[in-house]
Amino acid sequence: SRLAPPRPGARPKGGDPGAAQPGPPEGSAPEAMAPRPLQKAWAVATLCAAAGVGGATNTEIKDRIDELEAILRSQQRILQGQDERVAILEGLASAGEGARRLQAPTQTIHGAFDSEHVAYSDREAWARMISQVWLILCGALVFFMQAGFAMIEVGTCRARGMNTIAMKYLTHTCVAVICWWTIGWAFAFGGPYELNTSLGKAVKSDIIGHEGFAGDQFYTSLGGGRYEPSMTIARWFQQWAICVAATSIASGAVGERMCFSGYLVYAAVMSALVYPIVVCCTWGRGWIYDITDAGFQDMAGAGIVHLCGGTAALVGAVATGARRDRWTSPDRFQPSNTGLVALGTFILWFGWYGFYGSAPA
């Protein structure tokens, strides 16, 4: 009787005789208010008391206790099975909710042309537009830096090499855009995707990307001749401009000392393989990105763009050596046009606002 749960309205020991204990909620049994171990002990004590009153022997009491414990174990197994079924039902409910979310109408610039597509809200449309305009504007500023690089090198070198240098910058920019479009972008940002949950995959290559070749992810076909452009186009353009800037750093280091065709080979290898691999290991969340818990931190491409391009320039300068009679007749190597040097400096200054304002951290 000491183990029995208190009855509604029972007087507490040592308390006010007129005070009543609060009872269980209406419609519930008193036993439901007690924990399971207390219920078990109370049931065993009740059976023992009943057996003692009836004059049962110790063996009979023990048998009845064993029978009751078997019943309790059976009830526990039933409750455990019910808990498992509840967990399964909760999992199915969560999966159904995820499926309903996956089956939600897709937002598109074409609006609600069928039951599976809807138009963007005004806020989402403005957000996408501002993001794309910002990336395109910054990419255009970075691309304009090619003119600055060309002006500085043309004005610094001798007059006889001005035409070759100008054509070198124009041609290497065209080579870089082809290489970056075909394989460079895919190697740089085509994986790994370990932290990109929006793609629903966890690919981890660590060194080089594996998808997105030749503009593969620029558009999504909606059927009926409709295509949905993605943010990848604007990101590709902005990153291509940065790739060309990294490739151009080595041009001045080999000015007047490298043949035209050899420089184009360098531009192709740099923009298609060397620079994309560096980007994949850092901005692309490769193995360098995972060195610290904070990820790879880079101040507007100081290590990825400038260090990568500067290393290529150092290798090129060492491989080609100094120009003939550069140090024996220095007067023959005076800048051909300091005005172009100043103009190129201002162009680079202007373009850096787009470079540092858009390069990933």
CSV table of all heavy atoms in Angstrom, one decimal, residues 91-147:
chain,number,residue,atom,x,y,z
A,91,GLY,N,9.0,8.5,-39.9
A,91,GLY,CA,9.9,8.5,-41.1
A,91,GLY,C,9.1,8.6,-42.4
A,91,GLY,O,9.5,9.4,-43.3
A,92,LEU,N,8.1,7.8,-42.5
A,92,LEU,CA,7.3,7.9,-43.8
A,92,LEU,C,6.6,9.3,-43.9
A,92,LEU,O,6.5,9.8,-45.1
A,92,LEU,CB,6.2,6.8,-43.8
A,92,LEU,CG,6.7,5.4,-43.8
A,92,LEU,CD1,5.6,4.4,-43.7
A,92,LEU,CD2,7.5,5.1,-45.2
A,93,ALA,N,6.2,9.8,-42.8
A,93,ALA,CA,5.6,11.2,-42.9
A,93,ALA,C,6.6,12.2,-43.3
A,93,ALA,O,6.3,13.1,-44.2
A,93,ALA,CB,5.0,11.5,-41.6
A,94,SER,N,7.8,12.1,-42.8
A,94,SER,CA,8.9,13.0,-43.2
A,94,SER,C,9.2,12.9,-44.7
A,94,SER,O,9.4,13.9,-45.4
A,94,SER,CB,10.1,12.8,-42.3
A,94,SER,OG,9.8,13.0,-41.0
A,95,ALA,N,9.3,11.6,-45.1
A,95,ALA,CA,9.6,11.4,-46.5
A,95,ALA,C,8.5,11.9,-47.4
A,95,ALA,O,8.7,12.5,-48.5
A,95,ALA,CB,9.8,9.9,-46.8
A,96,GLY,N,7.2,11.7,-47.0
A,96,GLY,CA,6.1,12.3,-47.8
A,96,GLY,C,6.2,13.8,-47.8
A,96,GLY,O,5.9,14.4,-48.9
A,97,GLU,N,6.6,14.4,-46.7
A,97,GLU,CA,6.7,15.9,-46.7
A,97,GLU,C,7.8,16.3,-47.7
A,97,GLU,O,7.7,17.3,-48.4
A,97,GLU,CB,7.0,16.4,-45.3
A,97,GLU,CG,7.1,17.9,-45.2
A,97,GLU,CD,5.8,18.6,-45.5
A,97,GLU,OE1,4.7,18.0,-45.4
A,97,GLU,OE2,5.8,19.8,-45.9
A,98,GLY,N,9.0,15.6,-47.6
A,98,GLY,CA,10.0,15.9,-48.6
A,98,GLY,C,9.6,15.7,-50.0
A,98,GLY,O,10.0,16.5,-50.9
A,99,ALA,N,8.9,14.7,-50.3
A,99,ALA,CA,8.4,14.4,-51.6
A,99,ALA,C,7.4,15.5,-52.1
A,99,ALA,O,7.5,16.0,-53.2
A,99,ALA,CB,7.7,13.1,-51.7
A,100,ARG,N,6.6,16.0,-51.2
A,100,ARG,CA,5.7,17.1,-51.5
A,100,ARG,C,6.5,18.4,-51.8
A,100,ARG,O,6.1,19.1,-52.7
A,100,ARG,CB,4.7,17.4,-50.4
A,100,ARG,CG,3.6,16.3,-50.3
A,100,ARG,CD,2.5,16.8,-49.4
A,100,ARG,NE,2.9,16.9,-48.0
A,100,ARG,CZ,2.9,15.8,-47.2
A,100,ARG,NH1,2.4,14.6,-47.6
A,100,ARG,NH2,3.3,16.0,-45.9
A,101,ARG,N,7.6,18.6,-51.1
A,101,ARG,CA,8.4,19.8,-51.4
A,101,ARG,C,9.1,19.6,-52.7
A,101,ARG,O,9.2,20.6,-53.4
A,101,ARG,CB,9.5,20.0,-50.3
A,101,ARG,CG,8.9,20.5,-49.0
A,101,ARG,CD,10.0,21.1,-48.1
A,101,ARG,NE,10.9,20.0,-47.6
A,101,ARG,CZ,10.7,19.4,-46.5
A,101,ARG,NH1,9.7,19.6,-45.7
A,101,ARG,NH2,11.6,18.4,-46.2
A,102,LEU,N,9.6,18.4,-53.0
A,102,LEU,CA,10.2,18.2,-54.3
A,102,LEU,C,9.2,18.3,-55.4
A,102,LEU,O,9.6,18.7,-56.6
A,102,LEU,CB,10.8,16.8,-54.3
A,102,LEU,CG,12.0,16.6,-53.4
A,102,LEU,CD1,12.5,15.1,-53.5
A,102,LEU,CD2,13.2,17.5,-53.8
A,103,GLN,N,8.0,18.0,-55.2
A,103,GLN,CA,7.0,18.1,-56.2
A,103,GLN,C,6.4,19.5,-56.3
A,103,GLN,O,5.4,19.7,-57.1
A,103,GLN,CB,5.9,17.1,-56.0
A,103,GLN,CG,6.4,15.7,-56.1
A,103,GLN,CD,5.3,14.7,-55.7
A,103,GLN,OE1,4.2,15.0,-55.3
A,103,GLN,NE2,5.6,13.4,-55.8
A,104,ALA,N,6.9,20.5,-55.6
A,104,ALA,CA,6.4,21.9,-55.6
A,104,ALA,C,6.7,22.4,-57.0
A,104,ALA,O,7.6,22.1,-57.7
A,104,ALA,CB,7.0,22.7,-54.5
A,105,PRO,N,5.8,23.4,-57.4
A,105,PRO,CA,6.0,24.0,-58.8
A,105,PRO,C,7.4,24.6,-58.9
A,105,PRO,O,7.9,25.3,-57.9
A,105,PRO,CB,4.9,25.0,-58.8
A,105,PRO,CG,3.8,24.5,-57.9
A,105,PRO,CD,4.6,23.8,-56.8
A,106,THR,N,8.0,24.5,-60.0
A,106,THR,CA,9.3,25.1,-60.3
A,106,THR,C,9.1,26.5,-60.8
A,106,THR,O,8.3,26.8,-61.6
A,106,THR,CB,10.0,24.3,-61.4
A,106,THR,OG1,10.1,22.9,-61.0
A,106,THR,CG2,11.4,24.8,-61.6
A,107,GLN,N,9.9,27.4,-60.2
A,107,GLN,CA,9.9,28.8,-60.6
A,107,GLN,C,10.7,29.0,-61.9
A,107,GLN,O,11.7,28.4,-62.1
A,107,GLN,CB,10.5,29.7,-59.5
A,107,GLN,CG,9.6,29.7,-58.2
A,107,GLN,CD,10.3,30.5,-57.1
A,107,GLN,OE1,11.5,30.5,-56.9
A,107,GLN,NE2,9.5,31.3,-56.4
A,108,THR,N,10.1,29.8,-62.7
A,108,THR,CA,10.7,30.0,-64.0
A,108,THR,C,10.4,31.4,-64.5
A,108,THR,O,9.4,32.1,-64.1
A,108,THR,CB,10.2,29.0,-65.1
A,108,THR,OG1,10.7,29.3,-66.4
A,108,THR,CG2,8.7,29.0,-65.1
A,109,ILE,N,11.3,31.9,-65.5
A,109,ILE,CA,11.0,33.3,-66.0
A,109,ILE,C,9.9,33.2,-67.0
A,109,ILE,O,9.3,34.3,-67.4
A,109,ILE,CB,12.3,33.7,-66.8
A,109,ILE,CG1,12.7,32.8,-67.9
A,109,ILE,CG2,13.5,33.9,-65.8
A,109,ILE,CD1,13.8,33.3,-68.8
A,110,HIS,N,9.4,32.1,-67.4
A,110,HIS,CA,8.3,32.0,-68.4
A,110,HIS,C,6.9,32.0,-67.7
A,110,HIS,O,5.9,32.0,-68.4
A,110,HIS,CB,8.4,30.7,-69.2
A,110,HIS,CG,9.7,30.6,-70.0
A,110,HIS,ND1,9.9,31.2,-71.1
A,110,HIS,CD2,10.9,29.9,-69.7
A,110,HIS,CE1,11.1,31.0,-71.6
A,110,HIS,NE2,11.7,30.2,-70.8
A,111,GLY,N,6.9,32.0,-66.4
A,111,GLY,CA,5.7,32.1,-65.6
A,111,GLY,C,5.0,30.8,-65.5
A,111,GLY,O,5.5,29.7,-65.8
A,112,ALA,N,3.7,30.8,-65.2
A,112,ALA,CA,2.9,29.6,-65.0
A,112,ALA,C,2.3,29.1,-66.3
A,112,ALA,O,1.1,29.2,-66.6
A,112,ALA,CB,1.8,29.8,-63.9
A,113,PHE,N,3.2,28.5,-67.1
A,113,PHE,CA,2.7,28.0,-68.4
A,113,PHE,C,2.1,26.6,-68.3
A,113,PHE,O,1.5,26.2,-69.3
A,113,PHE,CB,3.8,28.1,-69.5
A,113,PHE,CG,5.0,27.2,-69.1
A,113,PHE,CD1,5.0,25.9,-69.5
A,113,PHE,CD2,6.1,27.7,-68.5
A,113,PHE,CE1,6.1,25.1,-69.2
A,113,PHE,CE2,7.2,27.0,-68.2
A,113,PHE,CZ,7.2,25.6,-68.6
A,114,ASP,N,2.2,26.0,-67.2
A,114,ASP,CA,1.5,24.7,-66.9
A,114,ASP,C,1.4,24.6,-65.4
A,114,ASP,O,1.8,25.4,-64.6
A,114,ASP,CB,2.2,23.5,-67.5
A,114,ASP,CG,3.7,23.3,-67.1
A,114,ASP,OD1,4.0,23.9,-66.0
A,114,ASP,OD2,4.5,22.7,-67.8
A,115,SER,N,0.9,23.4,-64.9
A,115,SER,CA,0.7,23.2,-63.5
A,115,SER,C,2.0,23.0,-62.7
A,115,SER,O,1.9,23.0,-61.5
A,115,SER,CB,-0.3,22.0,-63.3
A,115,SER,OG,0.3,20.8,-63.8
A,116,GLU,N,3.1,22.7,-63.3
A,116,GLU,CA,4.3,22.4,-62.7
A,116,GLU,C,5.3,23.6,-62.6
A,116,GLU,O,6.4,23.4,-62.1
A,116,GLU,CB,5.0,21.2,-63.4
A,116,GLU,CG,4.2,19.9,-63.3
A,116,GLU,CD,4.9,18.8,-64.0
A,116,GLU,OE1,6.0,19.1,-64.6
A,116,GLU,OE2,4.4,17.7,-64.1
A,117,HIS,N,4.9,24.7,-63.1
A,117,HIS,CA,5.8,25.9,-63.1
A,117,HIS,C,5.0,27.1,-62.7
A,117,HIS,O,3.8,27.3,-63.0
A,117,HIS,CB,6.4,26.1,-64.5
A,117,HIS,CG,7.2,24.9,-65.0
A,117,HIS,ND1,6.7,23.8,-65.6
A,117,HIS,CD2,8.6,24.7,-64.9
A,117,HIS,CE1,7.7,23.0,-65.9
A,117,HIS,NE2,8.8,23.5,-65.5
A,118,VAL,N,5.7,28.0,-62.0
A,118,VAL,CA,5.1,29.2,-61.5
A,118,VAL,C,6.1,30.3,-61.8
A,118,VAL,O,7.3,30.1,-62.0
A,118,VAL,CB,4.7,29.2,-60.0
A,118,VAL,CG1,3.6,28.2,-59.8
A,118,VAL,CG2,6.0,28.9,-59.2
A,119,ALA,N,5.7,31.6,-61.8
A,119,ALA,CA,6.5,32.7,-62.0
A,119,ALA,C,7.3,33.1,-60.7
A,119,ALA,O,6.8,32.7,-59.6
A,119,ALA,CB,5.7,33.9,-62.4
A,120,TYR,N,8.4,33.7,-60.8
A,120,TYR,CA,9.1,34.2,-59.6
A,120,TYR,C,8.3,35.3,-58.9
A,120,TYR,O,7.6,36.1,-59.6
A,120,TYR,CB,10.5,34.8,-60.0
A,120,TYR,CG,11.5,33.7,-60.4
A,120,TYR,CD1,11.8,33.5,-61.8
A,120,TYR,CD2,12.2,33.0,-59.5
A,120,TYR,CE1,12.7,32.5,-62.1
A,120,TYR,CE2,13.1,32.0,-59.8
A,120,TYR,CZ,13.3,31.8,-61.2
A,120,TYR,OH,14.3,30.9,-61.5
A,121,SER,N,8.4,35.3,-57.6
A,121,SER,CA,7.8,36.5,-56.9
A,121,SER,C,8.7,37.7,-57.2
A,121,SER,O,9.8,37.7,-57.7
A,121,SER,CB,7.8,36.2,-55.4
A,121,SER,OG,9.1,36.1,-54.9
A,122,ASP,N,8.1,38.9,-56.9
A,122,ASP,CA,8.8,40.1,-57.2
A,122,ASP,C,10.1,40.2,-56.4
A,122,ASP,O,11.1,40.6,-57.0
A,122,ASP,CB,7.9,41.3,-56.8
A,122,ASP,CG,6.7,41.4,-57.7
A,122,ASP,OD1,6.7,40.9,-58.8
A,122,ASP,OD2,5.7,42.1,-57.3
A,123,ARG,N,10.1,39.8,-55.2
A,123,ARG,CA,11.3,39.8,-54.4
A,123,ARG,C,12.4,38.9,-55.0
A,123,ARG,O,13.6,39.3,-55.1
A,123,ARG,CB,11.0,39.5,-53.0
A,123,ARG,CG,12.2,39.5,-52.0
A,123,ARG,CD,11.8,39.3,-50.6
A,123,ARG,NE,12.9,39.4,-49.7
A,123,ARG,CZ,12.8,39.3,-48.4
A,123,ARG,NH1,11.6,39.1,-47.8
A,123,ARG,NH2,13.9,39.4,-47.6
A,124,GLU,N,12.0,37.7,-55.3
A,124,GLU,CA,13.0,36.7,-55.9
A,124,GLU,C,13.5,37.2,-57.2
A,124,GLU,O,14.7,37.0,-57.6
A,124,GLU,CB,12.3,35.3,-56.0
A,124,GLU,CG,12.1,34.7,-54.6
A,124,GLU,CD,11.2,33.5,-54.7
A,124,GLU,OE1,10.5,33.4,-55.8
A,124,GLU,OE2,11.2,32.6,-53.8
A,125,ALA,N,12.6,37.7,-58.0
A,125,ALA,CA,13.0,38.2,-59.3
A,125,ALA,C,14.0,39.4,-59.2
A,125,ALA,O,15.0,39.4,-59.9
A,125,ALA,CB,11.8,38.7,-60.2
A,126,TRP,N,13.8,40.3,-58.3
A,126,TRP,CA,14.7,41.4,-58.1
A,126,TRP,C,16.0,40.9,-57.5
A,126,TRP,O,17.1,41.4,-57.9
A,126,TRP,CB,14.1,42.4,-57.1
A,126,TRP,CG,13.3,43.4,-57.8
A,126,TRP,CD1,11.9,43.4,-57.9
A,126,TRP,CD2,13.7,44.6,-58.6
A,126,TRP,NE1,11.5,44.5,-58.6
A,126,TRP,CE2,12.6,45.2,-59.1
A,126,TRP,CE3,15.0,45.1,-58.8
A,126,TRP,CZ2,12.6,46.4,-59.8
A,126,TRP,CZ3,15.0,46.3,-59.6
A,126,TRP,CH2,13.9,46.9,-60.1
A,127,ALA,N,16.0,39.9,-56.6
A,127,ALA,CA,17.2,39.4,-56.1
A,127,ALA,C,18.1,38.7,-57.2
A,127,ALA,O,19.3,38.9,-57.2
A,127,ALA,CB,16.9,38.4,-55.0
A,128,ARG,N,17.5,37.9,-58.0
A,128,ARG,CA,18.2,37.3,-59.1
A,128,ARG,C,18.8,38.3,-60.1
A,128,ARG,O,19.9,38.2,-60.5
A,128,ARG,CB,17.3,36.3,-59.8
A,128,ARG,CG,17.0,35.0,-59.1
A,128,ARG,CD,16.0,34.2,-59.8
A,128,ARG,NE,16.5,33.8,-61.1
A,128,ARG,CZ,17.3,32.7,-61.4
A,128,ARG,NH1,17.6,31.9,-60.4
A,128,ARG,NH2,17.6,32.4,-62.6
A,129,MET,N,18.0,39.3,-60.4
A,129,MET,CA,18.4,40.3,-61.3
A,129,MET,C,19.6,41.1,-60.8
A,129,MET,O,20.6,41.3,-61.5
A,129,MET,CB,17.2,41.3,-61.7
A,129,MET,CG,17.6,42.3,-62.7
A,129,MET,SD,16.3,43.5,-63.0
A,129,MET,CE,16.2,44.3,-61.3
A,130,ILE,N,19.5,41.5,-59.5
A,130,ILE,CA,20.6,42.3,-58.9
A,130,ILE,C,21.9,41.5,-58.9
A,130,ILE,O,23.0,42.0,-59.1
A,130,ILE,CB,20.2,42.8,-57.5
A,130,ILE,CG1,19.1,43.8,-57.7
A,130,ILE,CG2,21.4,43.4,-56.8
A,130,ILE,CD1,18.5,44.3,-56.3
A,131,SER,N,21.8,40.2,-58.5
A,131,SER,CA,22.9,39.3,-58.4
A,131,SER,C,23.6,39.2,-59.8
A,131,SER,O,24.8,39.3,-59.9
A,131,SER,CB,22.6,38.0,-57.9
A,131,SER,OG,22.0,38.1,-56.6
A,132,GLN,N,22.8,38.9,-60.8
A,132,GLN,CA,23.3,38.8,-62.2
A,132,GLN,C,23.9,40.1,-62.7
A,132,GLN,O,25.0,40.0,-63.3
A,132,GLN,CB,22.3,38.2,-63.1
A,132,GLN,CG,21.8,36.8,-62.8
A,132,GLN,CD,20.8,36.3,-63.8
A,132,GLN,OE1,20.3,37.0,-64.6
A,132,GLN,NE2,20.5,35.0,-63.7
A,133,VAL,N,23.3,41.2,-62.5
A,133,VAL,CA,23.8,42.5,-63.0
A,133,VAL,C,25.1,42.8,-62.3
A,133,VAL,O,26.1,43.3,-62.9
A,133,VAL,CB,22.8,43.6,-62.7
A,133,VAL,CG1,23.4,44.9,-63.0
A,133,VAL,CG2,21.6,43.4,-63.7
A,134,TRP,N,25.2,42.5,-61.0
A,134,TRP,CA,26.4,42.7,-60.2
A,134,TRP,C,27.6,41.9,-60.7
A,134,TRP,O,28.7,42.4,-61.0
A,134,TRP,CB,26.2,42.5,-58.7
A,134,TRP,CG,27.5,42.6,-57.9
A,134,TRP,CD1,28.2,41.6,-57.3
A,134,TRP,CD2,28.1,43.8,-57.6
A,134,TRP,NE1,29.3,42.1,-56.7
A,134,TRP,CE2,29.3,43.5,-56.8
A,134,TRP,CE3,27.9,45.2,-57.8
A,134,TRP,CZ2,30.1,44.4,-56.3
A,134,TRP,CZ3,28.8,46.1,-57.3
A,134,TRP,CH2,29.9,45.7,-56.6
A,135,LEU,N,27.4,40.6,-61.0
A,135,LEU,CA,28.4,39.8,-61.5
A,135,LEU,C,28.8,40.2,-62.9
A,135,LEU,O,30.0,40.2,-63.2
A,135,LEU,CB,28.0,38.3,-61.4
A,135,LEU,CG,27.8,37.7,-60.1
A,135,LEU,CD1,27.2,36.3,-60.2
A,135,LEU,CD2,29.1,37.6,-59.3
A,136,ILE,N,27.9,40.5,-63.7
A,136,ILE,CA,28.2,40.9,-65.1
A,136,ILE,C,29.0,42.2,-65.1
A,136,ILE,O,30.0,42.4,-65.8
A,136,ILE,CB,27.0,41.0,-65.9
A,136,ILE,CG1,26.4,39.6,-66.1
A,136,ILE,CG2,27.3,41.6,-67.3
A,136,ILE,CD1,25.0,39.6,-66.8
A,137,LEU,N,28.5,43.2,-64.3
A,137,LEU,CA,29.2,44.5,-64.2
A,137,LEU,C,30.7,44.3,-63.7
A,137,LEU,O,31.6,44.8,-64.3
A,137,LEU,CB,28.4,45.4,-63.3
A,137,LEU,CG,29.1,46.8,-63.0
A,137,LEU,CD1,29.3,47.5,-64.3
A,137,LEU,CD2,28.3,47.6,-62.0
A,138,CYS,N,30.8,43.5,-62.6
A,138,CYS,CA,32.2,43.3,-62.1
A,138,CYS,C,33.0,42.5,-63.1
A,138,CYS,O,34.2,42.8,-63.3
A,138,CYS,CB,32.1,42.6,-60.8
A,138,CYS,SG,31.4,43.6,-59.4
A,139,GLY,N,32.4,41.5,-63.8
A,139,GLY,CA,33.2,40.8,-64.8
A,139,GLY,C,33.6,41.7,-65.9
A,139,GLY,O,34.7,41.6,-66.5
A,140,ALA,N,32.8,42.6,-66.3
A,140,ALA,CA,33.1,43.6,-67.4
A,140,ALA,C,34.3,44.5,-67.0
A,140,ALA,O,35.2,44.8,-67.8
A,140,ALA,CB,31.9,44.4,-67.8
A,141,LEU,N,34.3,44.9,-65.7
A,141,LEU,CA,35.4,45.7,-65.2
A,141,LEU,C,36.7,45.0,-65.2
A,141,LEU,O,37.8,45.5,-65.6
A,141,LEU,CB,35.1,46.3,-63.8
A,141,LEU,CG,33.9,47.3,-63.7
A,141,LEU,CD1,33.7,47.7,-62.3
A,141,LEU,CD2,34.3,48.5,-64.5
A,142,VAL,N,36.6,43.7,-64.8
A,142,VAL,CA,37.8,42.9,-64.8
A,142,VAL,C,38.3,42.6,-66.2
A,142,VAL,O,39.5,42.6,-66.5
A,142,VAL,CB,37.6,41.6,-64.0
A,142,VAL,CG1,38.8,40.7,-64.0
A,142,VAL,CG2,37.2,41.8,-62.6
A,143,PHE,N,37.4,42.4,-67.1
A,143,PHE,CA,37.8,42.1,-68.5
A,143,PHE,C,38.4,43.4,-69.1
A,143,PHE,O,39.4,43.3,-69.9
A,143,PHE,CB,36.5,41.7,-69.3
A,143,PHE,CG,36.8,41.6,-70.8
A,143,PHE,CD1,37.7,40.6,-71.2
A,143,PHE,CD2,36.2,42.5,-71.7
A,143,PHE,CE1,37.9,40.5,-72.6
A,143,PHE,CE2,36.5,42.3,-73.0
A,143,PHE,CZ,37.3,41.4,-73.5
A,144,PHE,N,38.0,44.6,-68.7
A,144,PHE,CA,38.6,45.8,-69.2
A,144,PHE,C,40.0,45.9,-68.7
A,144,PHE,O,40.8,46.7,-69.3
A,144,PHE,CB,37.7,47.0,-68.8
A,144,PHE,CG,38.1,48.3,-69.4
A,144,PHE,CD1,38.2,48.4,-70.8
A,144,PHE,CD2,38.4,49.4,-68.6
A,144,PHE,CE1,38.6,49.6,-71.4
A,144,PHE,CE2,38.7,50.6,-69.2
A,144,PHE,CZ,38.8,50.7,-70.6
A,145,MET,N,40.4,45.2,-67.7
A,145,MET,CA,41.8,45.3,-67.2
A,145,MET,C,42.8,44.7,-68.3
A,145,MET,O,43.9,45.1,-68.3
A,145,MET,CB,41.9,44.5,-65.9
A,145,MET,CG,41.2,45.1,-64.7
A,145,MET,SD,41.3,44.0,-63.3
A,145,MET,CE,43.0,44.0,-62.9
A,146,GLN,N,42.3,43.9,-69.3
A,146,GLN,CA,43.2,43.5,-70.3
A,146,GLN,C,43.7,44.6,-71.1
A,146,GLN,O,44.9,44.6,-71.5
A,146,GLN,CB,42.4,42.5,-71.2
A,146,GLN,CG,42.0,41.2,-70.6
A,146,GLN,CD,43.1,40.5,-69.9
A,146,GLN,OE1,44.1,40.1,-70.6
A,146,GLN,NE2,43.0,40.2,-68.6
A,147,ALA,N,42.9,45.6,-71.3
A,147,ALA,CA,43.4,46.8,-72.0
A,147,ALA,C,44.5,47.5,-71.2
A,147,ALA,O,45.5,48.0,-71.7
A,147,ALA,CB,42.2,47.8,-72.3
